[in-house]
Amino acid sequence: MLSFVARTFAKDMKILLCGSQSSEFCAILALKPQSFVCYSIFGALLLLGTLNMVPILDIYHFEPIMQNLFVLGVVAIMVYRDMMVGIFFALSCVVYFLGEREGKNLIDVLFCPYLWVYSVGYTFFVIFVLLKKHYEKRVLV
């Protein structure tokens, strides 16, 4: 969520100060759809495991070392897909390890259900737009 807020704030400040959007600056600040897709998959794995629909994926009941390795894999994927989101994920992990850990695990620090719902909706929206473009292109030919 921090990445979304920071990028939106920076984009709004650029518009406010300069009066227009430069396409290069907006391209840097734009959230990549791949990061939303990755976060949707991450949340879906957590949800399916928690509901015991796929018992192998019940990450909450793994040993702490396995949970941390899973989170390390998610952070690595996010860094690969979108550097800014990955950096915020990594910073969240650092804050977790430096702070008090009572009653929370690392997965709870990274997973936000509201952001997950938004990511799922955004992913379906992007898929719909891509399918619509593909269908329009096919009809015109």
Side-chain angles (χ1 to χ4, degrees), residues 53-95:
M53 296 177 105
V54 183
I56 295 172
L57 297 176
D58 192 7
I59 299 160
Y60 282 106
H61 292 102
F62 284 174
E63 295 293 321
I65 189 73
M66 293 303 291
Q67 286 181 351
N68 292 340
L69 287 174
F70 177 77
V71 168
L72 178 66
V74 169
V75 170
I77 290 169
M78 286 301 206
V79 167
Y80 177 73
R81 287 289 168 205
D82 190 354
M83 184 65 73
M84 186 64 75
V85 174
I87 288 171
F88 281 124
F89 266 40
L91 286 175
S92 297
C93 293
V94 168
V95 169

Side-chain angles (χ1 to χ4, degrees), residues 2-117:
L2 282 175
S3 173
F4 180 75
V5 170
R7 289 179 181 191
T8 304
F9 179 74
K11 188 187 293 186
D12 291 344
M13 290 305 294
K14 172 73 175 176
I15 293 169
L16 182 67
L17 295 175
C18 298
S20 67
Q21 296 180 348
S22 88
S23 60
E24 181 179 317
F25 183 76
C26 290
I28 292 170
L29 290 178
L31 288 170
K32 296 180 181 175
Q34 295 92 353
S35 59
F36 287 113
V37 171
C38 291
Y39 199 76
S40 297
I41 293 170
F42 171 59
L45 290 175
L46 290 177
L47 180 67
L48 291 174
T50 303
L51 294 176
N52 208 15
M53 296 177 105
V54 183
I56 295 172
L57 297 176
D58 192 7
I59 299 160
Y60 282 106
H61 292 102
F62 284 174
E63 295 293 321
I65 189 73
M66 293 303 291
Q67 286 181 351
N68 292 340
L69 287 174
F70 177 77
V71 168
L72 178 66
V74 169
V75 170
I77 290 169
M78 286 301 206
V79 167
Y80 177 73
R81 287 289 168 205
D82 190 354
M83 184 65 73
M84 186 64 75
V85 174
I87 288 171
F88 281 124
F89 266 40
L91 286 175
S92 297
C93 293
V94 168
V95 169
Y96 169 77
F97 285 119
L98 294 179
E100 294 182 24
R101 298 182 218 160
E102 292 182 24
K104 282 193 171 183
N105 60 15
L106 189 54
I107 296 170
D108 290 336
V109 172
L110 292 182
F111 182 70
C112 172
Y114 305 112
L115 183 60
W116 178 70
V117 169

